[in-house]
Amino acid sequence: MVLKVYGPLFASPKRVLVTLVEKGVPFETVHVDLPTEEHKQPPYLELQPFGQVPVVFDGDYKIFESRAVMRYVAEKYRSQGPELLGKTLEERGQVEQWLDVEAVNYHPPLLNLTMHVMLAPVMGFTPDEKLIKESEEKLAQVLDVYEAHLSQNKYLAGDFISLADLAHLPFTDYLVGPIGKAYMIKDRKHVSAWWDDISSRPSWKEVIEKFRLPFLN
Amino acid sequence: MVLKVYGPLFASPKRVLVTLVEKGVPFETVHVDLPTEEHKQPPYLELQPFGQVPVVFDGDYKIFESRAVMRYVAEKYRSQGPELLGKTLEERGQVEQWLDVEAVNYHPPLLNLTMHVMLAPVMGFTPDEKLIKESEEKLAQVLDVYEAHLSQNKYLAGDFISLADLAHLPFTDYLVGPIGKAYMIKDRKHVSAWWDDISSRPSWKEVIEKFRLPFLN
């Protein structure tokens, strides 16, 4: 029974996909058509009541929220591939800390930039310029903390790659690409080296080559 | 060596405190004076570079982000008190799923209500009425999903209390109290029963009796 991941073309599901590839876990994908709002209609809402991607099935077992699925996969397949949760209680604590930093500090302003810079022209709404400015300022402050932290640590949770790093991949890929603000990464020496490291992993290259939003090609 | 929790008067640190009390783990607290912005100044920023409470020390080991600290405590003291992470991989997956739902779906609109309804008068800024309205609508949608889910499940992750439930306590306590929107909970039968259950736990009563914001008394 292979894992089934819904919505592979979109960013949050790619957190799950990159984890599966890292751990060498076979999976299938199911397209969810966000542009036609398939995710806001009953058949999909019965799978994921908040109308968000991804939802993942492991046989009959259902789980959603991308970072929760990452943890589930890393725990279930702990004995294969890289140890993405840390080896000790203390390392796991740092992985959890930086996973939560990504979710609550890093992601919200970056999601605003994704919506209002990258998606507004595609979806046909007027971008909120004030929100763009505030979000870039907020993200810059967060990245300044990352810069100081990564000057002392190769990866976010310490000297080992973990889920915390991988969770940053999909939306940062938008930031340096279609959002057009690569300078936010490149102008920070240690953040830039970290980004080059994690984004050049074969797992991530495989995910973005296989699952690409058509309108970003 | 007892755990040291910074900022116990405030809401996010109470996620950690209630977990510590549930697990019977001794702790000390260190006041952080948010009204004078102590958390945005160098001595505190060296402990928590994002300028947020809590930060927690377990001897020399430092960890922040309240939900990450909850996980660390529940894992370290797994053998005592209630099992707050679920007993199996699948249960743990559901705990993680609902912890992330709290962090990314439930908390952001509730934080807006906390800032603009409860804190604006105390902090002396003009509340954003449009944001209040949008946040209440967003939170209502999330609570509708909770209502359906809790009609089938006693607790968020299933039939057992977990970190996912406890993570909701501090800010929902504001919602039904000083924010003045208890109807959002009370008007939903299953959410209301769940709230009565979790908020009447002796651990939570102990935390709110011992650590109360002076201006909410």
Side-chain angles (χ1 to χ4, degrees):
Chain A
M1 185 69 78
V2 296
L3 269 87
K4 205 183 289 184
V5 183
Y6 284 65
L9 296 185
F10 304 95
S12 298
K14 287 192 172 68
R15 290 196 187 98
V16 175
L17 298 179
V18 72
T19 307
L20 290 166
V21 176
E22 285 280 349
K23 299 298 269 183
V25 180
F27 62 92
E28 332 179 313
T29 59
V30 181
H31 178 61
V32 183
D33 204 54
L34 268 59
T36 57
E37 302 227 310
E38 184 184 347
H39 59 308
K40 300 297 183 191
Q41 291 158 31
Y44 187 79
L45 287 174
E46 281 161 31
L47 305 182
Q48 212 289 6
F50 296 102
Q52 295 161 338
V53 288
V55 61
V56 171
F57 282 86
D58 185 7
D60 290 335
Y61 179 71
K62 184 178 80 169
I63 180 167
F64 53 78
E65 281 299 331
S66 59
R67 300 168 192 89
V69 186
M70 294 177 91
R71 290 172 174 110
Y72 170 79
V73 170
E75 189 82 49
K76 178 165 179 176
Y77 298 97
R78 200 143 196 174
S79 62
Q80 67 192 62
E83 173 53 83
L84 296 172
L85 290 166
K87 291 190 174 68
T88 62
L89 173 72
E90 289 74 20
E91 286 183 357
R92 172 77 185 248
Q94 295 303 300
V95 174
E96 294 294 347
Q97 172 183 301
W98 287 100
L99 268 173
D100 280 359
V101 166
E102 189 274 330
V104 306
N105 284 334
Y106 186 89
H107 182 67
L110 180 48
L111 181 63
N112 289 339
L113 295 176
T114 302
M115 294 302 293
H116 288 265
V117 179
M118 182 180 116
L119 292 176
V122 182
M123 296 171 69
F125 67 86
T126 307
D128 181 336
E129 297 297 341
K130 181 163 168 280
L131 185 65
I132 291 172
K133 186 167 177 290
E134 288 170 356
S135 297
E136 179 164 341
E137 286 167 3
K138 171 72 185 145
L139 184 59
Q141 288 170 2
V142 172
L143 283 169
D144 286 343
V145 176
Y146 279 45
E147 176 66 7
H149 180 70
L150 290 167
S151 75
Q152 308 286 324
N153 299 276
K154 186 170 182 198
Y155 296 104
L156 287 171
D159 61 1
F160 59 98
I161 184 89
S162 77
L163 295 184
D165 305 295
L166 301 182
H168 288 74
L169 283 165
F171 284 90
T172 310
D173 185 59
Y174 288 166
L175 183 71
V176 303
I179 293 176
K181 294 185 187 289
Y183 60 86
M184 295 189 75
I185 302 296
K186 302 297 166 201
D187 290 356
R188 291 172 172 87
K189 181 179 157 193
H190 298 98
V191 171
S192 188
W194 166 76
W195 174 251
D196 289 346
D197 180 328
I198 64 171
S199 64
S200 64
R201 290 180 77 85
S203 60
W204 179 243
K205 291 191 162 178
E206 181 178 332
V207 168
I208 52 174
E209 272 160 32
K210 281 196 188 160
F211 304 100
R212 191 44 99 173
L213 274 180
F215 61 80
L216 293 182
N217 283 337
Chain B
M1 185 70 77
V2 297
L3 269 86
K4 204 182 289 185
V5 183
Y6 284 66
L9 295 185
F10 304 94
S12 298
K14 287 191 171 70
R15 291 197 186 97
V16 175
L17 298 179
V18 72
T19 307
L20 290 166
V21 176
E22 285 281 350
K23 299 299 269 183
V25 180
F27 61 91
E28 333 178 313
T29 60
V30 181
H31 178 61
V32 183
D33 204 54
L34 268 57
T36 57
E37 302 227 308
E38 184 184 347
H39 58 310
K40 300 295 182 192
Q41 291 158 30
Y44 186 79
L45 287 175
E46 281 162 31
L47 305 181
Q48 212 288 6
F50 297 101
Q52 296 161 338
V53 288
V55 62
V56 172
F57 282 86
D58 185 6
D60 290 334
Y61 179 70
K62 183 178 80 168
I63 180 167
F64 54 80
E65 280 300 331
S66 59
R67 300 168 192 88
V69 185
M70 295 177 90
R71 292 172 172 109
Y72 170 79
V73 169
E75 190 82 50
K76 178 165 179 175
Y77 298 97
R78 201 144 195 173
S79 62
Q80 68 191 60
E83 173 52 83
L84 296 172
L85 290 166
K87 290 189 174 68
T88 62
L89 174 72
E90 289 75 19
E91 286 183 357
R92 172 77 186 249
Q94 296 303 298
V95 174
E96 294 294 347
Q97 172 182 302
W98 288 99
L99 267 174
D100 280 358
V101 166
E102 189 273 331
V104 306
N105 285 332
Y106 186 88
H107 182 67
L110 181 47
L111 180 63
N112 288 339
L113 295 176
T114 302
M115 293 303 293
H116 288 265
V117 179
M118 182 180 117
L119 291 177
V122 182
M123 294 171 70
F125 66 88
T126 308
D128 181 336
E129 297 297 341
K130 181 165 169 279
L131 184 66
I132 291 172
K133 186 167 176 292
E134 288 170 356
S135 298
E136 180 164 340
E137 286 168 2
K138 171 71 185 147
L139 184 60
Q141 288 170 1
V142 172
L143 283 168
D144 286 344
V145 176
Y146 279 45
E147 178 66 6
H149 180 72
L150 291 167
S151 76
Q152 309 286 324
N153 300 275
K154 187 169 182 199
Y155 296 104
L156 288 171
D159 61 1
F160 60 97
I161 184 91
S162 76
L163 295 185
D165 305 295
L166 301 182
H168 288 74
L169 284 164
F171 284 89
T172 310
D173 185 60
Y174 287 166
L175 183 71
V176 303
I179 293 175
K181 295 186 187 287
Y183 59 87
M184 295 189 74
I185 301 297
K186 302 297 167 201
D187 290 356
R188 292 173 171 88
K189 183 179 155 193
H190 298 97
V191 171
S192 188
W194 166 75
W195 174 251
D196 289 346
D197 181 327
I198 65 171
S199 64
S200 64
R201 290 180 78 85
S203 59
W204 179 243
K205 292 192 163 177
E206 181 178 332
V207 167
I208 52 174
E209 272 160 32
K210 280 195 188 160
F211 303 101
R212 191 45 98 175
L213 274 180
F215 62 81
L216 294 179
N217 283 337

